[in-house]
Amino acid sequence: MARDAGKGEHGSSQRVKLQRELAEACPAFAPNLLYLARFLLLSDEPDAEGQDPFAEIQRLLEQAVQASDRSAPALVELAYFHDSIHNDFKKARGLYEEGAAKALETLEDAWAGLLNSLILEMKLQEALTLAEHAEKVFPDSGRIMGAVHEARQAAVAAGLSPPQTVDS
Amino acid sequence: MRWRMLLIGMLSMHSHGCSHGDGRTNPDAVYEDGIRTKGGSASVRIWVLIGKGQFAEAQVLIAESTAGGLIGRETAQKMLERISVLSTKLGEVHAKLQRVRDFPSQLKDFTCFESRKMLEAGDYSLATEAQLRRAVKIIEQQDRLMDKL
């Protein structure tokens, strides 16, 4: 059903019907909830829940937040919904903050891993560029700062950086 | 978003005509921008033009810089998309988004850029500050959603 729901013409009622059925049958499948909510915001489909054109979308987004264990994409989508649709930037703010914090956790993980990979592959110029970004965003992260230091040491050893600039 | 399709189409034609396609370098590589100072300055100039609303000049520079390898295709596409968003009138957003509560309909004929300019100038003769911000937000929300779908 998921594959079928992803097919078809943009804006087609059939697609929305399948996605709604999927949301009903698999309410824990957050990607479908998120996709359907976004899709409905830009479609002429009538709301499944009556007069309020946005009630179903809000419910889908709240479900997506819950089903995804408050993942960054779901939190940020719900934040944008409150911000731009309900004009409730105060409610949106907490969700933006939580979404950003979740996304940063992932970014820290990804950059620490990526830095180590680049060093191992001797892609030191790329490692140095990333190290510069990573150091600014995560100055207090032990894993990031360890990898940053390692990247700079490796660049010095490879003759890419002069030793005196290593700690500058 | 006919604007966007048109702009991206123009870019594709231009860069296909000049590409020699050996895949030697990839200007869209994540770290490339930080290293290539020439590309960096072209990119800064284009963003400044976009910020000032000089879209025609920006488009020419985007096409030239892409053809010359100074900016990557992904960067160029982001720039063209930004131009497209800024050129969108509030009345052009999807009908569903025009059903939001307190939709500032007096700004229907104004582009995102024009509403932004009014905000910057503190010109609240047509709409309140909150209404101008709302107009910008709705147009940007549509663009963001289209990116996700």
Side-chain angles (χ1 to χ4, degrees):
Chain A
M1 197 193 280
R3 202 187 306 141
D4 288 344
K7 283 181 185 170
E9 218 173 67
H10 189 80
S12 80
S13 297
Q14 178 63 12
R15 176 185 185 142
V16 169
K17 183 174 167 285
L18 284 167
Q19 284 190 291
R20 277 180 171 145
E21 282 173 17
L22 181 59
E24 194 68 33
C26 313
F29 183 42
N32 179 57
L33 304 174
L34 208 49
Y35 192 92
L36 179 57
R38 287 169 174 154
F39 194 88
L40 288 173
L41 275 170
L42 297 182
S43 93
D44 298 318
E45 287 298 313
D47 187 79
E49 292 169 16
Q51 296 300 309
D52 182 347
F54 300 107
E56 180 192 11
I57 297 169
Q58 179 167 347
R59 184 184 55 78
L60 286 166
L61 289 172
E62 283 167 352
Q63 247 182 300
V65 166
Q66 202 180 8
S68 67
D69 196 20
R70 304 189 77 76
S71 72
L75 286 162
V76 174
E77 198 62 59
L78 183 59
Y80 269 101
F81 178 84
H82 284 299
D83 198 1
S84 63
I85 305 300
H86 286 162
N87 206 14
D88 188 348
F89 57 90
K90 284 184 185 157
K91 193 161 194 173
R93 191 178 152 191
L95 292 160
Y96 283 135
E97 283 173 346
E98 191 182 350
K102 284 277 170 74
L104 276 175
E105 276 175 32
T106 307
L107 186 62
E108 181 184 352
D109 274 349
W111 274 357
L114 182 56
L115 268 172
N116 287 323
S117 300
L118 291 171
I119 294 164
L120 285 174
E121 289 178 54
M122 291 300 280
K123 293 186 172 170
L124 298 177
Q125 197 60 259
E126 290 179 27
L128 284 176
T129 308
L130 177 57
E132 205 179 310
H133 290 309
E135 186 180 38
K136 283 182 194 149
V137 182
F138 299 107
D140 301 323
S141 160
R143 279 181 306 144
I144 290 282
M145 293 313 288
V148 165
H149 180 73
E150 205 183 322
R152 290 187 175 152
Q153 294 290 83
V156 170
L160 280 172
S161 308
Q164 66 268 26
T165 65
V166 170
D167 294 320
S168 67
Chain B
M1 283 263 148
R2 271 169 295 163
W3 249 99
R4 174 182 296 184
M5 295 312 294
L6 185 69
L7 291 172
I8 292 169
M10 281 164 56
L11 174 73
S12 309
M13 282 191 289
H14 197 118
S15 42
H16 282 159
C18 303
S19 130
H20 299 288
D22 60 2
R24 186 174 45 85
T25 56
N26 172 14
D28 284 329
V30 176
Y31 310 105
E32 202 91 349
D33 279 349
I35 298 162
R36 295 172 60 149
T37 50
K38 272 175 96 180
S41 71
S43 163
V44 169
R45 278 174 60 206
I46 295 166
W47 282 120
V48 168
L49 287 173
I50 293 174
K52 287 183 183 166
Q54 293 171 255
F55 301 145
E57 292 92 330
Q59 282 163 35
V60 171
L61 201 54
I62 291 167
E64 286 174 3
S65 305
T66 311
L70 292 178
I71 59 168
R73 285 184 55 80
E74 273 181 30
T75 306
Q77 189 157 333
K78 284 203 169 103
M79 290 165 166
L80 293 173
E81 283 175 6
R82 188 63 193 155
I83 292 173
S84 161
V85 175
L86 290 171
S87 312
T88 303
K89 290 179 181 167
L90 183 63
E92 290 169 348
V93 299
H94 195 279
K96 184 78 157 260
L97 294 179
Q98 297 193 33
R99 293 178 67 193
V100 297
R101 209 185 320 134
D102 307 324
F103 182 75
S105 48
Q106 74 271 42
L107 294 169
K108 268 186 163 185
D109 294 329
F110 292 86
T111 65
C112 184
F113 180 77
E114 288 165 336
S115 290
R116 277 183 165 274
K117 277 312 233 192
M118 286 187 245
L119 272 172
E120 276 172 30
D123 173 3
Y124 307 128
S125 52
L126 268 170
T128 63
E129 182 184 358
Q131 287 170 325
L132 289 167
R133 289 197 185 285
R134 188 129 171 82
V136 169
K137 227 180 248 186
I138 291 169
I139 295 170
E140 293 192 337
Q141 164 76 334
Q142 165 163 291
D143 173 66
R144 204 185 61 80
L145 288 166
M146 287 176 70
D147 269 354
K148 305 274 176 198
L149 291 171

